[in-house]
Amino acid sequence: MDDSFPIRPATFADAAAMAAIERRCFSDPWPLEGFREVFGFPGTVALVMTEADEPVAYFLAREILGTAEVLNLAVVPERRGQGLGARLLDAGLAAVQARGGSEVFLEVRASNAVAQALYAGRGFRTEGRRRGYYRRPDEDALVLRLVMAPVRSNDGDGEALV
């Protein structure tokens, strides 16, 4: 395990750093308020990967009644290609599974072959297409799904892992 990029639960205080990463990574980024709101969603799973205590990547998902949706996964451009996204995705999926998630959905740009390969390598399969889902530029999204065996955590509180 690479200790130079630890993964920890994200907190509300990380919202601004997550939004800054989002602006660097996506052409149609979520606003800061979107990140702040997600911390109030039931079933939120929010993780950040840090370098020298500063977030360089994040994972956001929500799980309700066994079904989860990956909302966002982003790694700053200068840290891509080092396996960080795969490590963070694995940690996020494990957290979703610990909450009882047995299936996970996400959308990915139809042109994003790198992300599609990452997800396919984790067992995601294409279930459909959302025409014109993305803006700036307009593009279709592929809807991907992963089926997992549910594993409940021992904490029993059902609270969000944020």
Side-chain angles (χ1 to χ4, degrees):
M1 181 153 122
D2 184 354
D3 291 334
S4 61
F5 295 97
I7 298 170
R8 65 168 171 77
T11 67
F12 186 83
D14 292 312
M18 294 164 76
I21 293 169
E22 175 90 356
R23 285 189 303 274
R24 294 185 62 204
C25 294
F26 299 111
S27 59
D28 190 19
W30 283 20
L32 174 57
E33 191 54 39
F35 284 91
R36 289 179 173 154
E37 285 177 14
V38 81
F39 284 99
F41 293 166
T44 293
V45 175
L47 303 173
V48 292
M49 178 179 277
T50 62
E51 179 179 29
D53 295 324
E54 293 298 320
V56 295
Y58 71 86
F59 172 92
L60 282 176
R62 61 182 168 197
E63 182 277 330
I64 298 174
L65 300 174
T67 298
E69 177 184 16
V70 174
L71 302 171
N72 275 340
L73 172 67
V75 177
V76 294
E78 62 273 15
R79 290 290 174 232
R80 292 183 187 155
Q82 300 174 26
L84 303 182
R87 276 189 53 225
L88 189 55
L89 177 61
D90 290 345
L93 292 175
V96 164
Q97 192 174 32
R99 289 189 54 81
S102 59
E103 67 178 347
V104 182
F105 290 89
L106 61 83
E107 290 92 10
V108 62
R109 281 188 182 269
S111 65
N112 193 340
V114 172
Q116 289 173 42
L118 171 65
Y119 298 131
R122 297 309 185 269
F124 281 87
R125 300 292 173 248
T126 302
E127 294 287 322
R129 178 181 288 263
R130 294 180 194 247
R131 303 239 178 252
Y133 181 81
Y134 289 105
R135 301 177 301 172
R136 297 183 211 145
D138 290 340
E139 186 173 352
D140 293 353
L142 300 180
V143 177
L144 307 183
R145 178 177 179 236
L146 172 67
V147 177
M148 312 186 283
V151 177
R152 284 307 276 175
S153 67
N154 291 330
D155 64 14
D157 65 9
E159 291 300 310
L161 298 174
V162 296

